[in-house]
Amino acid sequence: MAKGSLPAGIYGLTVLPLDDAAHGVKGRSWAFVSLVDNVTGDSTNWW
């Protein structure tokens, strides 16, 4: 694998909105990427 490349697997990006209209909080979110290893089936999350 070349330096800086991503390992083979299934990737997913999730973005969770954290808006709270009752408290005037707008435009905030929490994002993370998940990788599922094709060989072992194990998942890893990056925050």
Side-chain angles (χ1 to χ4, degrees):
M1 181 170 23
K3 183 178 178 181
S5 66
L6 296 173
I10 300 170
Y11 290 85
L13 171 65
T14 301
V15 178
L16 303 172
L18 299 176
D19 292 347
D20 185 349
H23 293 99
V25 178
K26 296 180 181 178
R28 294 186 181 180
S29 61
W30 181 34
F32 63 93
V33 174
S34 298
L35 165 71
V36 177
D37 186 299
N38 283 338
V39 176
T40 66
D42 295 329
S43 62
T44 304
N45 293 322
W46 290 286
W47 310 103

